[in-house]
Amino acid sequence: MNIYDVSRRAGVSIATVSRVLNGNPNVSQKTRSRVLAVMDELGYTPNVFARGLGLGTMKTIGIMCSDSSDPYLANAIYYLERQLRSHGYDSILCCTGTSLENKRTCFELLLSKRVDAMILAGSKFVELIDRDNDYLIQAARELPVMLVNGYLDAPGIYSTVCNDYEAMYQVTSRLVDSGKKDILYLYTSHSYSGLNKVQGYKNALADRGLPVRRELIHQCAKDLTASRQLIEQLADSGLSFDAVMTSDDSLAVGAVKFACSKKISIPEDLAVVGYNNSILSYCTTPEISSVDTKVEELCTATVTTLMSVFDGSQVPSRTVIAADFIQKETTNFSF
Amino acid sequence: MNIYDVSRRAGVSIATVSRVLNGNPNVSQKTRSRVLAVMDELGYTPNVFARGLGLGTMKTIGIMCSDSSDPYLANAIYYLERQLRSHGYDSILCCTGTSLENKRTCFELLLSKRVDAMILAGSKFVELIDRDNDYLIQAARELPVMLVNGYLDAPGIYSTVCNDYEAMYQVTSRLVDSGKKDILYLYTSHSYSGLNKVQGYKNALADRGLPVRRELIHQCAKDLTASRQLIEQLADSGLSFDAVMTSDDSLAVGAVKFACSKKISIPEDLAVVGYNNSILSYCTTPEISSVDTKVEELCTATVTTLMSVFDGSQVPSRTVIAADFIQKETTNFSF
């Protein structure tokens, strides 16, 4: 007998049951009564800490990320935790992996604790198939759901995003203006962020009168060895390219390693553009020009928005942060 | 009026007050009575969630790390959280920074929540001055304190460490056997782990009849630019060296970048050894030979030990995990 059985029998979400247990005043008296009746009927005993907790908040936020050892997400968790702590909130972390089932399980697990809000760090939490996002949309009726670099249009869901489209549009435009014509584009995922990035690349090409060529656009695992091997295969197959744009620095590192091994001059014969301006982009020789996606600003804005939601202030459902291009040694256009 | 006042007036630790609030049976009846009397006297009202919680556990572990955006610590947090989750425990994270004051504040803050144990990830939590560790030793009388890659000999403190001494001793010996004589040693901190590493280097030199030269041993910020600049300065000042050993991959990346910029051949004219075998060691060309400190094994062993402590089993106060040397392209000795 657990909270899931209660949720199912009462025909309400896990979040609602959790809110009733926590005495959250945002549950209607009618719903509250139904949930309590079902608990009675099923003989459900909430755990000792949930029992009798009639008011207030645990001042705890659930943070989900797919993989905290990813440099971008590691930074995000660091900034989120620090910001939340400075407002007196604890962070309960859950590393979910990428499968939808695990993400849902983690989400429901954290909801069944007494978290005041959920923060989903990284663009991997918004699914391409609409109904796969129902659990988020439903939960957001009960508590704020904050997306860091993801976007879902639903009440109670607040997004802070980086303008990936604009960043990729600008970088692609500058590459073309500097004489590059065959720009290889490597991406890791079809997330909200991933789709915006590739759209920026495509539209910039189209606006400059260049064709968008399918054979230049490839998905690749977020891994420098995979990216190096893919680029090598493409080159061996006769594809020619004079620039590589990537949706993540790790892929750009693979491109630099490919060029080093083939003695191709960077940026003259091959320009390389990374994304996220992580420490990886500083490790290579030459250092990789990369888009700074302002992870600290994104996290600060997310927490600021959340605090405003808690205060009952009006807040925008989407906050957009501008990215910066950090030119280092793998590009040489003017920006 | 807060938990600190109660602790001071009752002459017991914060942890003890917290245990009394949580109804932990490991507090003596005498101490319990004194704490409750002081609370009464001071008119202290614990927060709504602490009040009336007479039994059980929150199944929550406090995790402290100095900086979750450090690649080693980011990995550690990932493995710890996953392992704890698999045993049904939540992780509350606190990124402390490096100042003792912040570390103590975070520690006491987490204790004042209902954590069942504290895990301190990374070697930065054991101070060189004994009395600076008193807060850990005192707290460990009340709840398990787990150190990941740190060591303190006190009841209730359990350490899982990597044999850094042995790893550095072996690598130094092999470098000497392969003909290297002037081995620069760069380190980031005087932590337990840091001291063991440099001792391994020194003893290996001594055992092979080579002098330990102060001018070859330097502290450096954990930053690839700082390390590159330091190495350049040392070379410019006339110091000659044929190998660079480092206590962290980021310093080794600086060494490779230095060599690339000066067209020094690696490993013939300069061998480079990293530490932690992080993704950074794979980003450079040539890739950096590095010591794999088995962070996943360390974290798994830490959680396994903790579960045994919870079960009341006898467990060793120190578990040692063997490191591996991963030879890549910046060394060429046999190992």
Side-chain angles (χ1 to χ4, degrees):
Chain A
M1 193 60 51
N2 62 31
I3 195 169
Y4 299 94
D5 302 312
V6 175
S7 145
R8 209 171 307 121
R9 179 76 71 105
V12 300
S13 68
I14 298 282
T16 302
V17 178
S18 165
R19 293 268 132 178
V20 170
L21 287 171
N22 302 336
N24 186 303
N26 291 331
V27 184
S28 74
Q29 192 48 52
K30 195 178 142 208
T31 304
R32 188 181 196 80
S33 302
R34 184 163 73 248
V35 170
L36 290 171
V38 167
M39 284 181 187
D40 233 35
E41 184 189 333
L42 296 179
Y44 171 71
T45 312
N47 75 56
V48 289
F49 296 102
R51 192 195 305 148
L53 301 175
L55 8 124
T57 147
M58 287 295 282
K59 297 211 92 173
T60 299
I61 309 296
I63 299 181
M64 282 171 42
C65 72
S66 51
D67 175 358
S68 67
S69 64
D70 175 275
Y72 177 85
L73 294 176
N75 272 309
I77 287 162
Y78 177 75
Y79 293 123
L80 289 170
E81 193 281 328
R82 300 287 292 225
Q83 281 292 321
L84 289 169
R85 176 84 50 211
S86 77
H87 287 93
Y89 283 81
D90 289 329
S91 302
I92 298 192
L93 180 65
C94 191
C95 303
T96 63
T98 53
S99 88
L100 176 60
E101 197 190 327
N102 282 345
K103 287 187 267 187
R104 285 186 63 146
T105 305
C106 280
F107 191 87
E108 294 186 349
L109 199 68
L110 290 178
L111 280 194
S112 73
K113 320 278 169 183
R114 285 162 306 295
V115 297
D116 298 300
M118 290 289 298
I119 300 182
L120 279 49
S123 60
K124 292 282 179 60
F125 290 102
V126 177
E127 309 294 331
L128 289 178
I129 300 166
D130 275 347
R131 74 179 135 73
D132 288 344
N133 296 313
D134 282 350
Y135 75 106
L136 297 177
I137 292 168
Q138 202 181 344
R141 292 183 197 142
E142 315 282 342
L143 86 177
V145 174
M146 316 299 293
L147 303 180
V148 180
N149 216 26
Y151 178 64
L152 256 185
D153 181 18
I157 298 187
Y158 301 90
S159 301
T160 311
V161 295
C162 177
N163 61 352
D164 297 306
Y165 170 86
E166 185 63 21
M168 281 305 202
Y169 184 94
Q170 290 299 334
V171 172
T172 309
S173 302
R174 294 296 170 278
L175 281 172
V176 172
D177 292 348
S178 74
K180 302 294 185 183
K181 285 190 184 66
D182 305 309
I183 307 175
L184 191 59
Y185 186 89
L186 303 186
Y187 67 98
T188 58
S189 94
H190 291 104
S191 66
Y192 171 78
S193 160
L195 292 173
N196 279 335
K197 289 178 197 170
V198 72
Q199 201 57 51
Y201 160 82
K202 288 177 177 174
N203 287 7
L205 290 180
D207 287 355
R208 292 223 164 7
L210 288 176
V212 173
R213 293 161 51 200
R214 278 195 70 83
E215 71 272 22
L216 286 173
I217 304 176
H218 294 271
Q219 188 166 18
C220 179
K222 196 187 257 188
D223 174 273
L224 57 94
T225 306
S227 118
R228 179 185 171 168
Q229 286 171 348
L230 173 61
I231 295 168
E232 220 163 272
Q233 276 168 24
L234 293 171
D236 288 350
S237 76
L239 188 71
S240 79
F241 44 87
D242 51 17
V244 183
M245 287 179 67
T246 64
S247 70
D248 188 82
D249 283 335
S250 56
L251 304 189
V253 169
V256 169
K257 291 173 77 82
F258 159 78
C260 283
S261 72
K262 303 289 183 192
K263 316 260 186 240
I264 296 169
S265 342
I266 296 175
E268 296 74 14
D269 297 327
L270 189 71
V272 177
V273 176
Y275 212 89
N276 289 331
N277 199 42
S278 68
I279 187 170
L280 305 189
S281 70
Y282 292 88
C283 285
T284 54
T285 302
E287 294 183 357
I288 299 168
S289 302
S290 186
V291 175
D292 179 353
T293 47
K294 307 288 191 66
V295 61
E296 182 171 5
E297 284 187 34
L298 246 70
C299 293
T300 303
T302 299
V303 173
T304 303
T305 302
L306 179 58
M307 295 304 133
S308 301
V309 172
F310 285 157
D311 289 347
S313 312
Q314 278 287 35
V315 291
S317 66
R318 180 156 69 156
T319 305
V320 180
I321 306 280
D324 258 355
F325 181 70
I326 310 295
Q327 184 147 248
K328 295 190 220 92
E329 300 168 343
T330 58
T331 55
N332 58 357
F333 48 72
S334 57
F335 197 82
Chain B
M1 193 60 50
N2 61 31
I3 196 169
Y4 299 94
D5 302 310
V6 175
S7 145
R8 210 171 304 119
R9 178 75 71 103
V12 299
S13 68
I14 298 282
T16 303
V17 178
S18 165
R19 294 267 133 178
V20 170
L21 286 171
N22 300 337
N24 186 304
N26 291 332
V27 184
S28 74
Q29 192 48 52
K30 196 179 141 205
T31 304
R32 188 182 195 81
S33 302
R34 183 161 76 249
V35 171
L36 290 171
V38 168
M39 284 181 187
D40 233 34
E41 184 190 333
L42 296 178
Y44 171 73
T45 312
N47 75 56
V48 288
F49 296 102
R51 193 194 307 149
L53 302 176
L55 6 123
T57 147
M58 287 295 282
K59 298 212 91 175
T60 298
I61 309 296
I63 298 180
M64 281 171 42
C65 72
S66 52
D67 175 358
S68 67
S69 65
D70 174 274
Y72 177 85
L73 294 175
N75 272 308
I77 287 161
Y78 177 75
Y79 293 123
L80 289 170
E81 193 280 329
R82 300 286 292 224
Q83 281 292 322
L84 290 168
R85 175 83 50 213
S86 77
H87 286 93
Y89 283 82
D90 288 329
S91 302
I92 299 192
L93 180 66
C94 192
C95 303
T96 64
T98 54
S99 88
L100 176 60
E101 198 190 326
N102 282 346
K103 287 187 267 186
R104 286 186 62 146
T105 305
C106 281
F107 191 87
E108 294 185 349
L109 199 69
L110 289 179
L111 281 194
S112 74
K113 319 278 170 181
R114 286 162 305 295
V115 297
D116 298 299
M118 290 289 297
I119 300 180
L120 280 49
S123 59
K124 291 284 179 59
F125 290 102
V126 177
E127 308 295 329
L128 289 178
I129 300 168
D130 275 349
R131 74 180 136 73
D132 287 345
N133 296 313
D134 282 352
Y135 75 106
L136 296 178
I137 293 169
Q138 204 181 343
R141 293 184 196 140
E142 316 280 342
L143 86 177
V145 175
M146 315 300 293
L147 303 180
V148 180
N149 215 27
Y151 178 65
L152 255 185
D153 181 17
I157 299 188
Y158 301 90
S159 300
T160 311
V161 296
C162 178
N163 61 351
D164 297 306
Y165 171 86
E166 184 64 21
M168 282 305 201
Y169 184 94
Q170 291 299 336
V171 172
T172 309
S173 302
R174 295 295 168 279
L175 281 172
V176 172
D177 293 348
S178 74
K180 302 295 184 183
K181 285 192 184 61
D182 306 309
I183 306 174
L184 191 61
Y185 186 91
L186 303 185
Y187 68 98
T188 58
S189 96
H190 291 104
S191 65
Y192 171 77
S193 158
L195 293 173
N196 279 335
K197 289 178 197 169
V198 73
Q199 202 56 52
Y201 161 81
K202 288 177 177 174
N203 287 9
L205 290 180
D207 287 354
R208 292 227 166 0
L210 288 176
V212 173
R213 293 161 51 200
R214 278 195 70 83
E215 72 271 23
L216 286 172
I217 304 176
H218 294 271
Q219 189 168 19
C220 179
K222 197 187 257 188
D223 175 271
L224 57 95
T225 306
S227 118
R228 180 185 170 167
Q229 286 171 348
L230 173 61
I231 295 168
E232 219 162 273
Q233 276 168 24
L234 293 171
D236 288 349
S237 76
L239 187 71
S240 81
F241 44 87
D242 50 18
V244 183
M245 286 178 67
T246 64
S247 70
D248 189 83
D249 284 335
S250 56
L251 305 189
V253 169
V256 168
K257 289 172 78 82
F258 159 79
C260 284
S261 72
K262 303 290 183 191
K263 315 262 186 237
I264 296 169
S265 339
I266 296 176
E268 296 74 15
D269 297 327
L270 190 70
V272 177
V273 176
Y275 212 89
N276 289 333
N277 199 42
S278 69
I279 188 168
L280 305 189
S281 71
Y282 292 88
C283 284
T284 55
T285 302
E287 294 184 358
I288 299 169
S289 302
S290 186
V291 174
D292 179 354
T293 47
K294 306 288 191 67
V295 60
E296 183 171 4
E297 285 187 33
L298 247 70
C299 293
T300 303
T302 298
V303 173
T304 304
T305 302
L306 179 58
M307 295 304 134
S308 300
V309 171
F310 286 156
D311 289 347
S313 312
Q314 278 288 36
V315 291
S317 65
R318 180 156 69 157
T319 305
V320 181
I321 306 280
D324 259 354
F325 181 70
I326 309 295
Q327 184 148 245
K328 296 189 216 101
E329 300 168 341
T330 59
T331 55
N332 58 357
F333 48 74
S334 57
F335 197 81

